Amino acid sequence: MEIGAPIQTPTGGHAVFVDAKKPLPQIPTHQFPAQALSVARYIESGVRAVAIGSFLEGRDPEIGEQAHSEMELLRLTTPRRAYAQTHTDLIVEGFGKVFEIKDTLKEYTFEYEAPVLRHFTARLRPEE
């Protein structure tokens, strides 16, 4: 099933990386497009993914401003021998539904962020 997700190629054996900046140009990097895509994907399909970009990058320790990551990627993994083709089809179908509503996805801002390793315990909220 082709859904038009812009991915990094060649794909690896352990993950596929979706370029979240391309389908979500309305979300600036300091408001985490990969995280927005990850949340929407989880809501739609119940499958988790990892945002790798500015959210993971953190803040510049000297000035406290959000660091800018050149890449905003959503890391999608599937454990070997854990899913049947029907599972994979459902995951792709759910992600396809996210791409149908991508123009409505919102930016995220922090409600809480830890000073160290914030991506493990942060609480984010979508902009209204």
Side-chain angles (χ1 to χ4, degrees):
M1 173 182 204
E2 179 70 35
I3 63 171
I7 61 171
Q8 296 293 306
T9 57
T11 57
H14 69 289
V16 173
F17 293 88
V18 176
D19 181 349
K21 287 168 98 173
K22 288 182 180 173
L24 301 177
Q26 76 275 20
I27 301 178
T29 58
H30 70 277
Q31 292 187 302
F32 317 121
Q35 192 68 24
L37 200 56
S38 179
V39 169
R41 184 173 186 265
Y42 182 76
I43 290 169
E44 181 58 46
S45 65
V47 178
R48 296 180 302 156
V50 175
I52 299 175
S54 297
F55 182 69
L56 185 61
E57 188 85 22
R59 295 188 181 276
D60 182 307
E62 293 182 16
I63 59 175
E65 289 184 13
Q66 173 61 49
H68 171 73
S69 177
E70 289 300 316
M71 304 193 82
E72 294 290 331
L73 301 174
L74 184 66
R75 182 176 183 258
L76 310 173
T77 61
T78 303
R80 293 185 316 142
R81 299 184 306 262
Y83 293 117
Q85 185 61 49
T86 54
H87 294 116
T88 302
D89 292 344
L90 287 170
I91 290 167
V92 172
E93 182 181 313
F95 205 34
K97 289 179 182 177
V98 169
F99 268 73
E100 290 173 8
I101 62 163
K102 66 183 177 9
D103 296 334
T104 68
L105 298 184
K106 304 287 186 191
E107 302 91 349
Y108 278 81
T109 57
F110 284 100
E111 285 187 350
Y112 166 79
E113 67 178 296
V116 178
L117 297 174
R118 70 180 185 173
H119 57 283
F120 287 115
T121 59
R123 288 189 301 275
L124 299 172
R125 64 175 166 74
E127 288 289 319
E128 295 299 323

